Amino acid sequence: MLEKYWPEVDQVNSCIKNEAETADVSVLLAVHQPSQLTTLNAGTNIETPASEQQLLDAFLSDDVPGGYLLFPITGPSGIGKSHIIRWLDAQLQRSAKHERLHIIRIPKSASLRKVVELILEPLAGDPRFEKSRADLTRAVAEVDKRQAVVLFRAQIENALNSRAEALLAEAREHKDRAAELRPLIGHAQSLPKLFGDAALKDHFAETVLSRVIARALQGRDDSEEGDETKSQFFADDLILPEEIDLNNAAFAVKTYYQTQLAVSDVRRRQAAVDLLNSIVDTAIGNVFQLEQSTGGITLQDIILGIREILKDDKDLVLLVEDFAALAGIQDVLLKVCVQEGVYAGEKKRATMRTALALTDGYLASRDTILTRAQRVWVIGNRQQSDEEIKTAVVNMVGSYLNAARWGEGGLRRRFERRGAGESLTDWLPAWQDEELTDE
């Protein structure tokens, strides 16, 4: 009598996935559970409990005097940041304002080539940007992994050399900060030698640099969990395995490694890692020659061209499931996202609304994001009681079981039957066997 309440295997497999983001939007929303959100004021650090509805309402606010909104969404790896981005996308697609929105969603699986193609899609057919768009697309498609690693090491060296010069100039100008800046100058001058040393370069190329650059080249496998930060450097990346004989390295490299990296005070090594992560975006952009492949027009001007094209008809919405996917154009894109849209009372560019999923700790080195965003949306920053956790688990398991009972096809049909003005939270009732009677 109750056998129909146990889903078939294919229904289970189509609705219950390791990564909810790989599911159809109807499945995603059928199993969606409200996230525990907190807003963090960038100026005062005051935390305020918030709801998903408040997030949506704020994102669609008509009060956008500067012509842009920037919403960083942060939390630890695996907490559901990209899920919130997809939820937001689904809400916007069904919003009454949908016709006024040009939505670009960057999936967390995207390679740099895919990111560029998605962002530049509105420029298709515009003769002003036709050549630059084609050149950019070709530039990000022509670099293979082996070549990319070699170029990446060279661009890291260039970026660190430039940073060392800037730090030296700052130390000369502000002598009171010289002692504070000296360790950073040392790292900027020594890290290129470490990565390029004849005895060590193969190790770093094969185990570290290739991993960091791989995200831009190949994207990310949706099925890989905990993969959000593989395109960054970690403190452990700078520790050599036992099979590497440091005695074969140059004396200066050996001394640097022993006195600054392989030490008990992990803060020294972390300072080197933070420095590396601060130049990754620039280095990857130069690997693909993004600024050199735009026919004399800056990449920033090309992307700003999208806002100019849309200014009379639509708002530009950018939803990024993992900000790491934008490595190579992060700084450029952030500058575009926070450009004023109105000058002297005249609208020059489309209003831009941006939501970025970021891993915890990423904002520490991104003052621009904090300053421009004014507040950060944090997932999972509130303690739950045992009873709340128990209720949440029951609701989650129940929603997956109910979704599997409906099956992916049934979910799609019910979702598509909904009116645009209906809620995205109450469209799916509990499945029932219509052949059963109270008798």
Side-chain angles (χ1 to χ4, degrees):
M1 182 177 292
L2 297 178
E3 63 270 10
K4 290 186 179 180
Y5 281 83
W6 295 106
E8 299 291 337
V9 172
D10 60 336
Q11 292 176 310
V12 172
N13 291 336
S14 64
C15 295
I16 303 180
K17 300 176 181 289
N18 289 334
E19 285 274 347
E21 282 64 40
T22 64
D24 181 81
V25 64
S26 62
V27 178
L28 180 91
L29 293 173
V31 302
H32 174 74
Q33 300 297 304
S35 297
Q36 297 280 337
L37 292 175
T38 303
T39 59
L40 176 66
N41 186 290
T44 64
N45 284 331
I46 294 176
E47 297 182 0
T48 306
S51 67
E52 292 176 342
Q53 188 60 48
Q54 287 173 307
L55 169 66
L56 177 64
D57 291 344
F59 195 76
L60 285 174
S61 172
D62 292 325
D63 183 19
V64 193
Y68 72 87
L69 290 174
L70 181 60
F71 281 40
I73 300 174
T74 188
S77 179
I79 197 66
K81 300 180 295 297
S82 59
H83 183 89
I84 282 288
I85 294 292
R86 281 205 70 190
W87 175 87
L88 188 58
D89 181 33
Q91 296 279 5
L92 297 177
Q93 298 288 357
R94 307 292 294 193
S95 166
K97 296 182 178 181
H98 176 252
E99 294 300 321
R100 289 281 307 167
L101 305 175
H102 180 89
I103 302 171
I104 301 172
R105 179 171 63 87
I106 308 295
K108 61 184 179 182
S109 59
S111 65
L112 185 57
R113 177 182 182 179
K114 184 64 175 177
V115 170
V116 170
E117 289 175 348
L118 287 170
I119 291 175
L120 299 186
E121 186 273 333
L123 297 178
D126 190 312
R128 295 175 300 167
F129 301 104
E130 184 175 353
K131 184 178 186 304
S132 296
R133 182 171 173 265
D135 289 346
L136 268 174
T137 302
R138 184 171 59 253
V140 295
E142 289 181 345
V143 181
D144 62 40
K145 186 172 183 179
R146 181 173 296 182
Q147 178 189 16
V149 172
V150 174
L151 291 172
F152 188 37
R153 182 168 57 208
Q155 294 302 334
I156 286 175
E157 180 176 355
N158 291 340
L160 288 174
N161 287 340
S162 297
R163 185 63 59 86
E165 291 175 6
L167 290 169
L168 283 166
E170 186 176 353
R172 286 192 294 268
E173 185 177 350
H174 303 282
K175 297 191 185 309
D176 57 320
R177 297 194 59 211
E180 172 192 346
L181 295 173
R182 194 173 297 118
L184 286 177
I185 294 169
H187 285 310
Q189 293 174 332
S190 298
L191 282 167
K193 298 174 184 176
L194 179 77
F195 290 155
D197 186 87
L200 308 178
K201 65 179 182 179
D202 288 346
H203 162 73
F204 284 114
E206 293 169 6
T207 64
V208 181
L209 302 183
S210 60
R211 186 201 73 226
V212 177
I213 194 72
R215 176 65 178 274
L217 287 166
Q218 304 162 349
R220 167 186 168 175
D221 188 336
D222 272 326
S223 64
E224 290 186 60
E225 298 182 21
D227 188 29
E228 296 178 9
T229 54
K230 284 188 177 181
S231 52
Q232 294 180 320
F233 289 92
F234 299 94
D236 286 348
D237 289 338
L238 301 181
I239 294 298
L240 296 169
E242 293 181 1
E243 60 267 23
I244 299 293
D245 188 354
L246 185 63
N247 291 318
N248 293 329
F251 178 76
V253 170
K254 178 180 177 180
T255 302
Y256 169 66
Y257 178 80
Q258 291 176 329
T259 60
Q260 300 300 320
L261 302 179
V263 292
S264 57
D265 187 354
V266 72
R267 289 174 298 180
R268 293 190 193 179
R269 195 159 64 250
Q270 189 59 48
V273 167
D274 291 342
L275 180 63
L276 284 168
N277 285 331
S278 72
I279 56 92
V280 164
D281 184 55
T282 299
I284 291 179
N286 287 334
V287 166
F288 292 94
Q289 298 184 323
L290 296 183
E291 288 293 355
Q292 296 92 327
S293 302
T294 53
I297 308 174
T298 68
L299 182 59
Q300 182 174 334
D301 285 340
I302 291 174
I303 303 176
L304 279 173
I306 300 171
R307 291 185 64 182
E308 293 168 5
I309 289 171
L310 298 175
K311 69 181 176 71
D312 295 326
D313 302 310
K314 293 178 181 287
D315 290 359
L316 179 59
V317 176
L318 180 64
L319 305 174
V320 182
E321 292 185 13
D322 182 5
F323 191 58
L326 303 182
I329 60 170
Q330 289 173 341
D331 287 340
V332 170
L333 201 58
L334 280 176
K335 289 175 183 176
V336 172
C337 291
V338 298
Q339 286 277 350
E340 299 282 342
V342 178
Y343 291 88
E346 183 181 355
K347 189 174 184 180
K348 299 290 187 180
R349 302 185 182 102
T351 297
M352 187 161 187
R353 305 170 188 269
T354 307
L356 306 170
L358 302 150
T359 304
D360 268 352
Y362 195 90
L363 288 173
S365 61
R366 293 281 176 169
D367 292 339
T368 301
I369 299 180
L370 281 170
T371 302
R372 298 289 191 165
Q374 298 183 349
R375 63 176 169 175
V376 179
W377 297 79
V378 185
I379 304 178
N381 203 35
R382 285 192 276 161
Q383 290 287 342
Q384 290 181 286
S385 67
D386 290 345
E387 190 59 34
E388 286 176 320
I389 293 173
K390 179 181 177 181
T391 300
V393 171
V394 170
N395 289 340
M396 181 180 69
V397 173
S399 68
Y400 272 97
L401 182 57
N402 189 50
R405 286 169 175 164
W406 280 101
E408 187 172 23
L411 293 175
R412 284 179 176 170
R413 287 190 293 273
R414 287 202 63 89
F415 186 72
E416 290 167 359
R417 284 208 308 263
R418 298 171 49 260
E422 293 181 46
S423 168
L424 283 178
T425 58
D426 58 8
W427 60 279
L428 186 67
W431 186 88
Q432 292 184 340
D433 182 359
E434 296 178 356
E435 295 180 4
L436 278 180
T437 65
D438 293 337
E439 300 176 3

